[in-house]
Amino acid sequence: MSKGEISRRKILIEAFRLFATMPYDRVSFSVMEKEMEISRGSMVYYFKNKEGLFKEVVRSFVYGASSVRAVPDAYKLSLCSFYTYFIETLKREQEQMAGMGIANINEALMRIENSALTYIPDFKEQTARWYEEELQIWQAVIENAISTGEIRKGIDPVAISYFYEDCYLGRAFHGVFTDAGYNIDRLKQTYDRLYALLR
């Protein structure tokens, strides 16, 4: 990673921390400079303005994190391998956030998403597209699992993709109201039980 990429990433992480604890309208460049200890010039160089920085925080940490798109293609050949890799990704993200001083990733993301609903005009539409893309990935993995005989025939891949994605979103929402965020082991148990029913 180049020096510029490291600087850009540092600004993004610090901005994520700040937007996770303060509403968008209270985060001025002055506040960012003071809280992040990063010059306004550096922020403007990489992101042009506050809106650009916030949009990149949303893109990287809301859509980019906790997404089944992060699962490599090799793990999509098996439903069990696919969701197990996804679970491990969630655990790593939770640990990374804890290392950054964010005890509850779900609460942090909920605060950012709340600001995004107000300050990013097409946030609802973007999120609806993100959700559909996630479902399509689940559906393709489930269809492959049916075709290879990993799970039984006669299963509706669309309905099962909703089960898997909605279990994740439900756990994430529940995690907002806990001390440490969602219980990923419980999500894994739910996925395992659903998988057993599909065998």
Side-chain angles (χ1 to χ4, degrees), residues 16 19-21 102 104-113:
F16 173 81
F19 286 119
T21 57
I102 296 173
N104 187 330
I105 184 175
N106 307 110
E107 182 181 1
L109 290 172
M110 180 68 81
R111 289 179 189 278
I112 289 170
E113 289 160 6

Side-chain angles (χ1 to χ4, degrees), residues 83 86 138 164 168 187-195:
Y83 76 71
F86 179 54
W138 277 110
Y164 274 102
Y168 160 67
L187 178 62
K188 173 73 162 59
Q189 290 168 2
T190 303
Y191 279 1
D192 285 341
R193 286 178 186 141
L194 180 53
Y195 181 72

Side-chain angles (χ1 to χ4, degrees), residues 163-176:
F163 278 130
Y164 274 102
E165 183 66 17
D166 291 351
C167 284
Y168 160 67
L169 292 174
R171 278 280 119 218
F173 181 74
H174 180 264
V176 171

Side-chain angles (χ1 to χ4, degrees), residues 42-104:
S42 292
M43 289 183 265
V44 169
Y45 177 78
Y46 290 107
F47 301 101
K48 295 187 180 171
N49 52 37
K50 181 177 103 170
E51 180 186 358
L53 176 55
F54 182 64
K55 283 183 175 179
E56 187 58 28
V57 165
V58 170
R59 192 190 71 75
S60 298
F61 292 98
V62 175
Y63 298 127
S66 306
S67 170
V68 293
R69 281 180 283 184
V71 179
D73 288 342
Y75 290 89
K76 294 177 181 174
L77 302 176
S78 158
L79 175 57
C80 184
S81 295
F82 176 75
Y83 76 71
T84 299
Y85 189 98
F86 179 54
I87 291 289
E88 291 304 314
T89 299
L90 298 179
K91 285 182 180 177
R92 282 192 300 274
E93 286 173 354
Q94 196 173 47
E95 289 165 3
Q96 287 170 354
M97 289 294 161
M100 290 167 41
I102 296 173
N104 187 330

Side-chain angles (χ1 to χ4, degrees), residues 104-165:
N104 187 330
I105 184 175
N106 307 110
E107 182 181 1
L109 290 172
M110 180 68 81
R111 289 179 189 278
I112 289 170
E113 289 160 6
N114 188 47
S115 288
L117 278 167
T118 304
Y119 294 100
I120 297 179
D122 61 345
F123 180 70
K124 275 188 179 180
E125 293 79 10
Q126 287 178 23
T127 303
R129 283 193 300 272
W130 174 87
Y131 181 69
E132 287 304 317
E133 288 167 10
E134 297 281 297
L135 287 174
Q136 287 171 10
I137 294 169
W138 277 110
Q139 185 178 336
V141 171
I142 292 161
E143 286 171 349
N144 181 68
I146 293 169
S147 71
T148 62
E150 180 187 4
I151 58 177
R152 58 189 160 79
K153 296 190 184 310
I155 291 168
D156 180 353
V158 175
I160 300 304
S161 67
Y162 277 111
F163 278 130
Y164 274 102
E165 183 66 17

